Amino acid sequence: MAELDRSRNLWPQIADDLRRRLRAGEWASGERFPGTVALAAEYGVAQATTQKALVALRTEGWLRLEVGQGSFVTDGAKGED
């Protein structure tokens, strides 16, 4: 986990770190992604903060949401090689 700069907005930093970890293959395509509770505990932030980061990753195409099931890793962000 990256060190967070608490003088700046936290959710973009978390989203950046999660993107880096996704690129590194920490989670495989199709694998269930950690939820907001687990990520909030890992990063030491509020669940609302991790929710914003997850929304950004979904918007970019890194994750897909399955209602009632959680978020799952896709093949990569839209526009990524």
Side-chain angles (χ1 to χ4, degrees), residues 10-63:
L10 297 174
W11 75 263
Q13 296 176 67
I14 293 169
D16 287 345
D17 188 50
L18 292 172
R19 271 187 225 98
R20 178 192 59 77
R21 293 167 66 184
L22 283 159
R23 283 188 190 105
E26 190 167 328
W27 299 280
S29 180
E31 185 175 348
R32 187 169 184 202
F33 200 72
T36 58
V37 173
L39 291 171
E42 179 179 342
Y43 286 97
V45 298
Q47 289 180 46
T49 303
T50 56
Q51 180 63 33
K52 287 179 183 179
L54 290 181
V55 167
L57 294 176
R58 283 188 211 116
T59 300
E60 295 167 11
W62 289 101
L63 305 174

